[in-house]
Amino acid sequence: MQQSPPLTAIFTIPLLLVFLLPSSNAHNITQILAQHPEFSTFNHYLTITHLASEINRRLTITVLAVDNAAMSSLLSKHLSVYTIKNVLSLHVLVDYFGSKKLHQITNGSALTSSMFQATGSAPGSSGYVNVTDLKGGKVGFGAEDDNGNLDAVYVKSVKEIPYNISVLQISQQGCKAFADLLIASGADTTFQENIDGGLTVFCPTDTVINGFMPKFKNLTAPQKISLLLYHGIPVYQSIQMLKSNNGIINTLATDGANKYDFTVQNDGEEITLKTKVVTAKVTGTLKDEEPLVVYKVDKVLLPRELFKVAPTTKAEAPKAAKEAAAAAPTADSPEGDDVGNQTADNNGASGLDGGRLILMVILSFCVGFLAL
């Protein structure tokens, strides 16, 4: 007579199958990031440091991703792969933080362990990350032992599988100097008034602004306001929208005959802003949460209404002539490099005498990788 299998075997076999068969909730960080080319370098280094496989093994995880520009800054320090792994492991939190949870933190701040802490290599509390709700929709991140500094801010949610994996973008660098100029001039009010309807801001980094300050100080008060408003457009433009939106675009400074426009042009992943005076590159995203998006640019945008138009070479002349005809400026640009002697209209000079906007909170951070 054939004996029945032991009762324990009946329960053990299905139990083994639960552990051996692939889980429907399994995640793959490499595949998630592969859908976002702006994180390709970060994705590559998660793979070569073997952090990707460790992330995929975790049931609950949060990855704080940084874009290619931020990774370029890190790689320029010529760190060893071992050190890069430690830096990146601080960007992997062993807890789930979706975008909603970020804004519902008890008492406004939480201390959470990172994968760097889990390795046992982190001295003291250096592997813990402070997550703080800064109000106004802004969240800061910083290493616990970094004297309370919040070295990064939340940009947007990239991918969320609730309570399994959350991939969030954090910013590389803020624009405190630009924010200070907006507040000091009163131009921040105009930016604030345009947020609800959609707003895109092109923010020169602190280093760029600091180098430009001697020229900025020579401008009159109305000229300063017009220049600052020139760095905003009254519509939400995601990075993908910018890449497909070649052409002339108006700004917050545009007012009738005073065009104050520039040309958006892209070549693959590179987006440039051409003003007839300078050509600036979009180097990163600080915040992308519709209706507001804030980008970093590597130059101050100089409008032809205030600054001398850059000379063109013979080879560029036909193209420049065609662009000039399309732009059809109503007045010649002022000549000379002494911006203090240039005259500007009063565009944007009225109704700008108060209020700070939530945007200032975003711009006022000068942040980078979470410091070890």
Side-chain angles (χ1 to χ4, degrees):
M1 181 177 177
Q2 186 176 5
Q3 293 184 338
S4 300
L7 188 61
T8 54
I10 294 175
F11 288 101
T12 301
I13 293 173
L15 190 61
L16 284 174
L17 291 175
V18 168
F19 287 100
L20 294 177
L21 292 176
S23 169
S24 59
N25 294 325
H27 54 262
N28 187 308
I29 186 62
T30 304
Q31 292 179 3
I32 291 172
L33 292 175
Q35 300 175 39
H36 304 273
E38 64 269 31
F39 303 120
S40 59
T41 307
F42 182 77
N43 197 13
H44 172 69
Y45 276 89
L46 287 183
T47 299
I48 68 173
T49 58
H50 303 292
L51 281 172
S53 57
E54 295 179 34
I55 291 170
N56 292 340
R57 282 198 295 268
R58 294 273 180 168
L59 295 179
T60 302
I61 206 82
T62 298
V63 179
L64 305 177
V66 294
D67 62 19
N68 293 338
M71 284 300 299
S72 294
S73 177
L74 177 67
L75 297 176
S76 69
K77 303 179 188 300
H78 305 293
L79 304 174
S80 67
V81 172
Y82 173 80
T83 302
I84 291 174
K85 180 175 182 177
N86 285 341
V87 173
L88 298 186
S89 64
L90 194 61
H91 286 238
V92 183
L93 311 181
V94 293
D95 194 1
Y96 181 85
F97 284 90
S99 55
K100 289 185 179 179
K101 182 178 178 179
L102 289 179
H103 304 299
Q104 298 173 348
I105 299 174
T106 304
N107 299 322
S109 184
L111 192 63
T112 186
S113 179
S114 71
M115 195 169 281
F116 182 48
Q117 185 70 28
T119 62
S121 302
S125 61
S126 62
Y128 287 93
V129 174
N130 181 359
V131 184
T132 300
D133 185 356
L134 301 167
K135 307 304 179 183
K138 312 306 170 285
V139 179
F141 299 84
E144 168 62 11
D145 67 344
D146 194 25
N147 299 316
N149 294 322
L150 298 174
D151 297 314
V153 289
Y154 168 73
V155 175
K156 66 178 180 181
S157 173
V158 177
K159 176 73 174 180
E160 294 182 28
I161 302 175
Y163 312 109
N164 180 211
I165 184 170
S166 173
V167 182
L168 309 175
Q169 182 183 358
I170 60 174
S171 63
Q172 178 203 8
Q173 185 179 9
C175 301
K176 185 179 185 303
F178 183 71
D180 290 344
L181 292 179
L182 290 181
I183 294 170
S185 68
D188 60 317
T189 303
T190 300
F191 280 81
Q192 180 172 344
E193 291 170 347
N194 281 274
I195 288 181
D196 288 344
L199 179 64
T200 300
V201 181
F202 298 100
C203 175
T205 60
D206 292 347
T207 301
V208 172
I209 288 291
N210 292 337
F212 181 72
M213 283 309 296
K215 288 186 177 181
F216 185 80
K217 290 177 180 178
N218 284 334
L219 294 171
T220 65
Q223 288 175 332
K224 289 176 180 177
I225 291 174
S226 294
L227 176 66
L228 294 171
L229 295 181
Y230 191 59
H231 289 75
I233 57 177
V235 64
Y236 170 81
Q237 291 273 339
S238 69
I239 195 71
Q240 294 303 323
M241 291 176 179
L242 279 180
K243 288 178 181 178
S244 60
N245 189 27
N246 287 324
I248 295 173
I249 194 163
N250 289 332
T251 68
L252 292 176
T254 302
D255 182 18
N258 302 301
K259 283 183 169 290
Y260 282 96
D261 55 22
F262 57 76
T263 300
V264 177
Q265 194 168 54
N266 64 76
D267 181 12
E269 292 297 309
E270 183 176 278
I271 300 172
T272 57
L273 311 176
K274 297 186 176 183
T275 77
K276 301 290 185 182
V277 182
V278 296
T279 297
K281 291 181 182 179
V282 174
T283 58
T285 304
L286 285 172
K287 179 70 176 177
D288 184 0
E289 194 166 354
E290 196 172 357
L292 172 67
V293 59
V294 184
Y295 299 109
K296 288 189 305 172
V297 290
D298 64 352
K299 292 180 183 177
V300 174
L301 303 179
L302 305 179
R304 62 177 179 271
E305 288 80 1
L306 296 177
F307 298 89
K308 184 178 180 180
V309 175
T312 57
T313 65
K314 290 183 179 180
E316 295 172 329
K319 181 180 179 182
K322 186 179 294 184
E323 290 179 350
T330 58
D332 292 333
S333 302
E335 296 295 324
D337 292 329
D338 185 1
V339 295
N341 294 328
Q342 297 170 4
T343 59
D345 63 334
N346 290 322
N347 171 48
S350 61
L352 300 173
D353 57 351
R356 294 190 176 201
L357 77 147
I358 294 173
L359 173 64
M360 296 304 104
V361 180
I362 305 168
L363 298 179
S364 62
F365 288 94
C366 183
V367 298
F369 277 86
L370 302 181
L372 286 175

